[in-house]
PDB file of all heavy atoms in Angstrom:
ATOM      1  N   ASN A   1       0.841  -1.201  -0.007  1.00 94.00           N
ATOM      2  CA  ASN A   1      -0.004   0.000   0.004  1.00 94.00           C
ATOM      3  C   ASN A   1       0.892   1.249  -0.008  1.00 94.00           C
ATOM      4  O   ASN A   1       0.887   2.034   0.957  1.00 94.00           O
ATOM      5  CB  ASN A   1      -0.933   0.010   1.215  1.00 94.00           C
ATOM      6  CG  ASN A   1      -1.913   1.158   1.164  1.00 94.00           C
ATOM      7  OD1 ASN A   1      -2.316   1.609   0.089  1.00 94.00           O
ATOM      8  ND2 ASN A   1      -2.287   1.658   2.332  1.00 94.00           N
ATOM      9  N   PRO A   2       1.634   1.453  -1.079  1.00 97.00           N
ATOM     10  CA  PRO A   2       2.530   2.616  -1.121  1.00 97.00           C
ATOM     11  C   PRO A   2       1.741   3.918  -1.174  1.00 97.00           C
ATOM     12  O   PRO A   2       0.618   3.970  -1.662  1.00 97.00           O
ATOM     13  CB  PRO A   2       3.335   2.402  -2.397  1.00 97.00           C
ATOM     14  CG  PRO A   2       2.499   1.506  -3.234  1.00 97.00           C
ATOM     15  CD  PRO A   2       1.732   0.635  -2.294  1.00 97.00           C
ATOM     16  N   ALA A   3       2.380   4.983  -0.674  1.00 97.00           N
ATOM     17  CA  ALA A   3       1.753   6.302  -0.755  1.00 97.00           C
ATOM     18  C   ALA A   3       1.790   6.838  -2.182  1.00 97.00           C
ATOM     19  O   ALA A   3       0.887   7.568  -2.601  1.00 97.00           O
ATOM     20  CB  ALA A   3       2.464   7.264   0.197  1.00 97.00           C
ATOM     21  N   ALA A   4       2.851   6.510  -2.891  1.00 98.00           N
ATOM     22  CA  ALA A   4       3.020   7.022  -4.253  1.00 98.00           C
ATOM     23  C   ALA A   4       4.159   6.234  -4.934  1.00 98.00           C
ATOM     24  O   ALA A   4       4.980   5.587  -4.277  1.00 98.00           O
ATOM     25  CB  ALA A   4       3.349   8.503  -4.242  1.00 98.00           C
ATOM     26  N   ILE A   5       4.138   6.309  -6.259  1.00 98.00           N
ATOM     27  CA  ILE A   5       5.177   5.654  -7.062  1.00 98.00           C
ATOM     28  C   ILE A   5       5.750   6.645  -8.065  1.00 98.00           C
ATOM     29  O   ILE A   5       5.001   7.342  -8.756  1.00 98.00           O
ATOM     30  CB  ILE A   5       4.616   4.419  -7.810  1.00 98.00           C
ATOM     31  CG1 ILE A   5       4.098   3.379  -6.848  1.00 98.00           C
ATOM     32  CG2 ILE A   5       5.709   3.813  -8.713  1.00 98.00           C
ATOM     33  CD1 ILE A   5       3.373   2.222  -7.525  1.00 98.00           C
ATOM     34  N   ILE A   6       7.063   6.736  -8.131  1.00 98.00           N
ATOM     35  CA  ILE A   6       7.736   7.391  -9.231  1.00 98.00           C
ATOM     36  C   ILE A   6       8.262   6.276 -10.107  1.00 98.00           C
ATOM     37  O   ILE A   6       9.174   5.538  -9.746  1.00 98.00           O
ATOM     38  CB  ILE A   6       8.899   8.287  -8.740  1.00 98.00           C
ATOM     39  CG1 ILE A   6       8.329   9.448  -7.896  1.00 98.00           C
ATOM     40  CG2 ILE A   6       9.693   8.832  -9.919  1.00 98.00           C
ATOM     41  CD1 ILE A   6       9.381  10.283  -7.212  1.00 98.00           C
ATOM     42  N   GLY A   7       7.622   6.106 -11.259  1.00 98.00           N
ATOM     43  CA  GLY A   7       7.929   4.957 -12.130  1.00 98.00           C
ATOM     44  C   GLY A   7       8.480   5.414 -13.466  1.00 98.00           C
ATOM     45  O   GLY A   7       7.716   5.795 -14.362  1.00 98.00           O
ATOM     46  N   VAL A   8       9.803   5.417 -13.592  1.00 98.00           N
ATOM     47  CA  VAL A   8      10.446   5.847 -14.824  1.00 98.00           C
ATOM     48  C   VAL A   8      11.497   4.833 -15.296  1.00 98.00           C
ATOM     49  O   VAL A   8      12.590   5.222 -15.706  1.00 98.00           O
ATOM     50  CB  VAL A   8      11.060   7.253 -14.650  1.00 98.00           C
ATOM     51  CG1 VAL A   8       9.972   8.287 -14.509  1.00 98.00           C
ATOM     52  CG2 VAL A   8      12.007   7.314 -13.439  1.00 98.00           C
ATOM     53  N   PRO A   9      11.196   3.527 -15.274  1.00 97.00           N
ATOM     54  CA  PRO A   9      12.181   2.567 -15.753  1.00 97.00           C
ATOM     55  C   PRO A   9      12.501   2.791 -17.217  1.00 97.00           C
ATOM     56  O   PRO A   9      11.621   3.135 -18.015  1.00 97.00           O
ATOM     57  CB  PRO A   9      11.509   1.211 -15.492  1.00 97.00           C
ATOM     58  CG  PRO A   9      10.051   1.494 -15.472  1.00 97.00           C
ATOM     59  CD  PRO A   9       9.938   2.852 -14.858  1.00 97.00           C
ATOM     60  N   VAL A  10      13.754   2.569 -17.557  1.00 97.00           N
ATOM     61  CA  VAL A  10      14.213   2.787 -18.914  1.00 97.00           C
ATOM     62  C   VAL A  10      14.423   1.428 -19.600  1.00 97.00           C
ATOM     63  O   VAL A  10      14.771   0.458 -18.943  1.00 97.00           O
ATOM     64  CB  VAL A  10      15.529   3.602 -18.898  1.00 97.00           C
ATOM     65  CG1 VAL A  10      16.621   2.845 -18.165  1.00 97.00           C
ATOM     66  CG2 VAL A  10      15.992   3.944 -20.310  1.00 97.00           C
ATOM     67  N   GLY A  11      14.234   1.372 -20.899  1.00 95.00           N
ATOM     68  CA  GLY A  11      14.563   0.151 -21.585  1.00 95.00           C
ATOM     69  C   GLY A  11      13.657  -0.204 -22.735  1.00 95.00           C
ATOM     70  O   GLY A  11      12.698   0.502 -23.039  1.00 95.00           O
ATOM     71  N   PHE A  12      13.954  -1.350 -23.355  1.00 96.00           N
ATOM     72  CA  PHE A  12      13.233  -1.800 -24.547  1.00 96.00           C
ATOM     73  C   PHE A  12      12.304  -2.974 -24.283  1.00 96.00           C
ATOM     74  O   PHE A  12      11.465  -3.297 -25.102  1.00 96.00           O
ATOM     75  CB  PHE A  12      14.261  -2.187 -25.647  1.00 96.00           C
ATOM     76  CG  PHE A  12      15.064  -1.030 -26.150  1.00 96.00           C
ATOM     77  CD1 PHE A  12      16.302  -0.748 -25.597  1.00 96.00           C
ATOM     78  CD2 PHE A  12      14.563  -0.225 -27.137  1.00 96.00           C
ATOM     79  CE1 PHE A  12      17.065   0.329 -26.054  1.00 96.00           C
ATOM     80  CE2 PHE A  12      15.322   0.886 -27.605  1.00 96.00           C
ATOM     81  CZ  PHE A  12      16.554   1.137 -27.056  1.00 96.00           C
ATOM     82  N   VAL A  13      12.507  -3.627 -23.145  1.00 96.00           N
ATOM     83  CA  VAL A  13      11.673  -4.793 -22.819  1.00 96.00           C
ATOM     84  C   VAL A  13      10.885  -4.520 -21.544  1.00 96.00           C
ATOM     85  O   VAL A  13      11.448  -4.529 -20.435  1.00 96.00           O
ATOM     86  CB  VAL A  13      12.525  -6.066 -22.645  1.00 96.00           C
ATOM     87  CG1 VAL A  13      11.649  -7.270 -22.289  1.00 96.00           C
ATOM     88  CG2 VAL A  13      13.338  -6.349 -23.900  1.00 96.00           C
ATOM     89  N   GLY A  14       9.610  -4.242 -21.678  1.00 96.00           N
ATOM     90  CA  GLY A  14       8.724  -4.088 -20.547  1.00 96.00           C
ATOM     91  C   GLY A  14       8.644  -2.708 -19.920  1.00 96.00           C
ATOM     92  O   GLY A  14       7.741  -2.440 -19.154  1.00 96.00           O
ATOM     93  N   ALA A  15       9.550  -1.796 -20.274  1.00 97.00           N
ATOM     94  CA  ALA A  15       9.562  -0.495 -19.662  1.00 97.00           C
ATOM     95  C   ALA A  15       8.283   0.313 -19.989  1.00 97.00           C
ATOM     96  O   ALA A  15       7.611   0.812 -19.091  1.00 97.00           O
ATOM     97  CB  ALA A  15      10.788   0.311 -20.075  1.00 97.00           C
ATOM     98  N   ALA A  16       7.985   0.436 -21.274  1.00 97.00           N
ATOM     99  CA  ALA A  16       6.787   1.179 -21.668  1.00 97.00           C
ATOM    100  C   ALA A  16       5.529   0.526 -21.149  1.00 97.00           C
ATOM    101  O   ALA A  16       4.595   1.195 -20.689  1.00 97.00           O
ATOM    102  CB  ALA A  16       6.733   1.300 -23.187  1.00 97.00           C
ATOM    103  N   GLU A  17       5.513  -0.800 -21.177  1.00 97.00           N
ATOM    104  CA  GLU A  17       4.332  -1.533 -20.748  1.00 97.00           C
ATOM    105  C   GLU A  17       4.084  -1.396 -19.255  1.00 97.00           C
ATOM    106  O   GLU A  17       2.951  -1.220 -18.797  1.00 97.00           O
ATOM    107  CB  GLU A  17       4.477  -3.014 -21.111  1.00 97.00           C
ATOM    108  CG  GLU A  17       4.488  -3.322 -22.610  1.00 97.00           C
ATOM    109  CD  GLU A  17       5.811  -3.075 -23.290  1.00 97.00           C
ATOM    110  OE1 GLU A  17       6.776  -2.664 -22.610  1.00 97.00           O
ATOM    111  OE2 GLU A  17       5.922  -3.294 -24.515  1.00 97.00           O
ATOM    112  N   ALA A  18       5.157  -1.456 -18.458  1.00 98.00           N
ATOM    113  CA  ALA A  18       5.023  -1.309 -17.018  1.00 98.00           C
ATOM    114  C   ALA A  18       4.487   0.075 -16.664  1.00 98.00           C
ATOM    115  O   ALA A  18       3.615   0.222 -15.778  1.00 98.00           O
ATOM    116  CB  ALA A  18       6.366  -1.589 -16.334  1.00 98.00           C
ATOM    117  N   LYS A  19       4.987   1.097 -17.340  1.00 98.00           N
ATOM    118  CA  LYS A  19       4.538   2.447 -17.035  1.00 98.00           C
ATOM    119  C   LYS A  19       3.116   2.670 -17.506  1.00 98.00           C
ATOM    120  O   LYS A  19       2.347   3.399 -16.864  1.00 98.00           O
ATOM    121  CB  LYS A  19       5.492   3.452 -17.670  1.00 98.00           C
ATOM    122  CG  LYS A  19       6.849   3.468 -16.937  1.00 98.00           C
ATOM    123  CD  LYS A  19       7.851   4.418 -17.567  1.00 98.00           C
ATOM    124  CE  LYS A  19       8.457   3.844 -18.839  1.00 98.00           C
ATOM    125  NZ  LYS A  19       9.598   4.669 -19.343  1.00 98.00           N
ATOM    126  N   ASP A  20       2.746   2.061 -18.631  1.00 97.00           N
ATOM    127  CA  ASP A  20       1.367   2.161 -19.102  1.00 97.00           C
ATOM    128  C   ASP A  20       0.413   1.532 -18.081  1.00 97.00           C
ATOM    129  O   ASP A  20      -0.657   2.094 -17.802  1.00 97.00           O
ATOM    130  CB  ASP A  20       1.234   1.472 -20.436  1.00 97.00           C
ATOM    131  CG  ASP A  20      -0.191   1.592 -21.020  1.00 97.00           C
ATOM    132  OD1 ASP A  20      -0.636   2.750 -21.231  1.00 97.00           O
ATOM    133  OD2 ASP A  20      -0.839   0.571 -21.243  1.00 97.00           O
ATOM    134  N   LEU A  21       0.823   0.410 -17.503  1.00 97.00           N
ATOM    135  CA  LEU A  21       0.002  -0.259 -16.490  1.00 97.00           C
ATOM    136  C   LEU A  21      -0.112   0.635 -15.244  1.00 97.00           C
ATOM    137  O   LEU A  21      -1.218   0.770 -14.685  1.00 97.00           O
ATOM    138  CB  LEU A  21       0.611  -1.611 -16.122  1.00 97.00           C
ATOM    139  CG  LEU A  21      -0.195  -2.495 -15.159  1.00 97.00           C
ATOM    140  CD1 LEU A  21      -1.556  -2.803 -15.725  1.00 97.00           C
ATOM    141  CD2 LEU A  21       0.592  -3.775 -14.861  1.00 97.00           C
ATOM    142  N   LEU A  22       0.989   1.249 -14.826  1.00 98.00           N
ATOM    143  CA  LEU A  22       0.959   2.154 -13.695  1.00 98.00           C
ATOM    144  C   LEU A  22      -0.018   3.312 -13.928  1.00 98.00           C
ATOM    145  O   LEU A  22      -0.748   3.716 -13.017  1.00 98.00           O
ATOM    146  CB  LEU A  22       2.384   2.691 -13.426  1.00 98.00           C
ATOM    147  CG  LEU A  22       2.510   3.789 -12.352  1.00 98.00           C
ATOM    148  CD1 LEU A  22       1.996   3.317 -11.012  1.00 98.00           C
ATOM    149  CD2 LEU A  22       3.953   4.266 -12.272  1.00 98.00           C
ATOM    150  N   SER A  23      -0.009   3.833 -15.150  1.00 97.00           N
ATOM    151  CA  SER A  23      -0.885   4.990 -15.452  1.00 97.00           C
ATOM    152  C   SER A  23      -2.355   4.671 -15.303  1.00 97.00           C
ATOM    153  O   SER A  23      -3.170   5.591 -15.132  1.00 97.00           O
ATOM    154  CB  SER A  23      -0.599   5.490 -16.856  1.00 97.00           C
ATOM    155  OG  SER A  23      -1.101   4.589 -17.837  1.00 97.00           O
ATOM    156  N   GLN A  24      -2.687   3.402 -15.339  1.00 96.00           N
ATOM    157  CA  GLN A  24      -4.095   2.995 -15.222  1.00 96.00           C
ATOM    158  C   GLN A  24      -4.556   2.793 -13.769  1.00 96.00           C
ATOM    159  O   GLN A  24      -5.725   2.564 -13.502  1.00 96.00           O
ATOM    160  CB  GLN A  24      -4.317   1.696 -15.993  1.00 96.00           C
ATOM    161  CG  GLN A  24      -3.999   1.813 -17.480  1.00 96.00           C
ATOM    162  CD  GLN A  24      -3.994   0.444 -18.164  1.00 96.00           C
ATOM    163  OE1 GLN A  24      -4.766  -0.446 -17.814  1.00 96.00           O
ATOM    164  NE2 GLN A  24      -3.122   0.261 -19.157  1.00 96.00           N
ATOM    165  N   LYS A  25      -3.599   2.876 -12.824  1.00 96.00           N
ATOM    166  CA  LYS A  25      -3.922   2.642 -11.437  1.00 96.00           C
ATOM    167  C   LYS A  25      -4.285   3.936 -10.719  1.00 96.00           C
ATOM    168  O   LYS A  25      -3.803   5.038 -11.110  1.00 96.00           O
ATOM    169  CB  LYS A  25      -2.718   1.999 -10.725  1.00 96.00           C
ATOM    170  CG  LYS A  25      -2.237   0.713 -11.375  1.00 96.00           C
ATOM    171  CD  LYS A  25      -3.299  -0.369 -11.321  1.00 96.00           C
ATOM    172  CE  LYS A  25      -2.772  -1.670 -11.943  1.00 96.00           C
ATOM    173  NZ  LYS A  25      -3.805  -2.730 -11.936  1.00 96.00           N
ATOM    174  N   PRO A  26      -5.100   3.871  -9.672  1.00 96.00           N
ATOM    175  CA  PRO A  26      -5.507   5.105  -8.968  1.00 96.00           C
ATOM    176  C   PRO A  26      -4.429   5.673  -8.031  1.00 96.00           C
ATOM    177  O   PRO A  26      -4.660   6.718  -7.428  1.00 96.00           O
ATOM    178  CB  PRO A  26      -6.746   4.641  -8.183  1.00 96.00           C
ATOM    179  CG  PRO A  26      -6.511   3.183  -7.943  1.00 96.00           C
ATOM    180  CD  PRO A  26      -5.802   2.676  -9.181  1.00 96.00           C
ATOM    181  N   ILE A  27      -3.306   5.020  -7.894  1.00 97.00           N
ATOM    182  CA  ILE A  27      -2.277   5.492  -6.985  1.00 97.00           C
ATOM    183  C   ILE A  27      -1.613   6.764  -7.517  1.00 97.00           C
ATOM    184  O   ILE A  27      -1.429   6.895  -8.733  1.00 97.00           O
ATOM    185  CB  ILE A  27      -1.200   4.393  -6.761  1.00 97.00           C
ATOM    186  CG1 ILE A  27      -0.195   4.848  -5.690  1.00 97.00           C
ATOM    187  CG2 ILE A  27      -0.486   4.054  -8.054  1.00 97.00           C
ATOM    188  CD1 ILE A  27       0.670   3.745  -5.196  1.00 97.00           C
ATOM    189  N   PRO A  28      -1.252   7.706  -6.645  1.00 98.00           N
ATOM    190  CA  PRO A  28      -0.490   8.870  -7.095  1.00 98.00           C
ATOM    191  C   PRO A  28       0.809   8.434  -7.742  1.00 98.00           C
ATOM    192  O   PRO A  28       1.556   7.613  -7.157  1.00 98.00           O
ATOM    193  CB  PRO A  28      -0.250   9.653  -5.797  1.00 98.00           C
ATOM    194  CG  PRO A  28      -1.357   9.251  -4.889  1.00 98.00           C
ATOM    195  CD  PRO A  28      -1.622   7.814  -5.209  1.00 98.00           C
ATOM    196  N   SER A  29       1.114   8.954  -8.909  1.00 98.00           N
ATOM    197  CA  SER A  29       2.329   8.502  -9.600  1.00 98.00           C
ATOM    198  C   SER A  29       2.879   9.600 -10.504  1.00 98.00           C
ATOM    199  O   SER A  29       2.128  10.452 -11.029  1.00 98.00           O
ATOM    200  CB  SER A  29       2.029   7.254 -10.440  1.00 98.00           C
ATOM    201  OG  SER A  29       1.096   7.521 -11.464  1.00 98.00           O
ATOM    202  N   ILE A  30       4.189   9.551 -10.672  1.00 98.00           N
ATOM    203  CA  ILE A  30       4.874  10.377 -11.682  1.00 98.00           C
ATOM    204  C   ILE A  30       5.590   9.376 -12.569  1.00 98.00           C
ATOM    205  O   ILE A  30       6.311   8.498 -12.063  1.00 98.00           O
ATOM    206  CB  ILE A  30       5.868  11.367 -11.066  1.00 98.00           C
ATOM    207  CG1 ILE A  30       5.146  12.330 -10.127  1.00 98.00           C
ATOM    208  CG2 ILE A  30       6.612  12.130 -12.159  1.00 98.00           C
ATOM    209  CD1 ILE A  30       6.069  13.285  -9.395  1.00 98.00           C
ATOM    210  N   LEU A  31       5.406   9.465 -13.870  1.00 98.00           N
ATOM    211  CA  LEU A  31       6.004   8.473 -14.792  1.00 98.00           C
ATOM    212  C   LEU A  31       6.356   9.120 -16.100  1.00 98.00           C
ATOM    213  O   LEU A  31       5.991  10.262 -16.398  1.00 98.00           O
ATOM    214  CB  LEU A  31       5.028   7.322 -14.980  1.00 98.00           C
ATOM    215  CG  LEU A  31       3.611   7.669 -15.501  1.00 98.00           C
ATOM    216  CD1 LEU A  31       3.549   7.538 -17.017  1.00 98.00           C
ATOM    217  CD2 LEU A  31       2.564   6.757 -14.884  1.00 98.00           C
ATOM    218  N   THR A  32       7.094   8.370 -16.894  1.00 97.00           N
ATOM    219  CA  THR A  32       7.373   8.789 -18.286  1.00 97.00           C
ATOM    220  C   THR A  32       6.693   7.785 -19.185  1.00 97.00           C
ATOM    221  O   THR A  32       6.773   6.573 -18.979  1.00 97.00           O
ATOM    222  CB  THR A  32       8.893   8.763 -18.562  1.00 97.00           C
ATOM    223  OG1 THR A  32       9.467   7.531 -18.122  1.00 97.00           O
ATOM    224  CG2 THR A  32       9.569   9.930 -17.853  1.00 97.00           C
TER     225      THR A  32
END
């Protein structure tokens, strides 16, 4: 139950997908 996530992993395998999934969650987040 984190208070917030800063999710900016870099890369070609899974990075964009992981951040896209984060963007769909109600948790406060900053991402690229």
Side-chain angles (χ1 to χ4, degrees):
N1 186 31
I5 299 173
I6 295 173
V8 291
V10 61
F12 295 94
V13 179
E17 293 81 0
K19 289 178 283 190
D20 183 60
L21 185 59
L22 172 60
S23 71
Q24 299 170 34
K25 304 297 181 182
I27 186 167
S29 64
I30 299 175
L31 57 94
T32 49

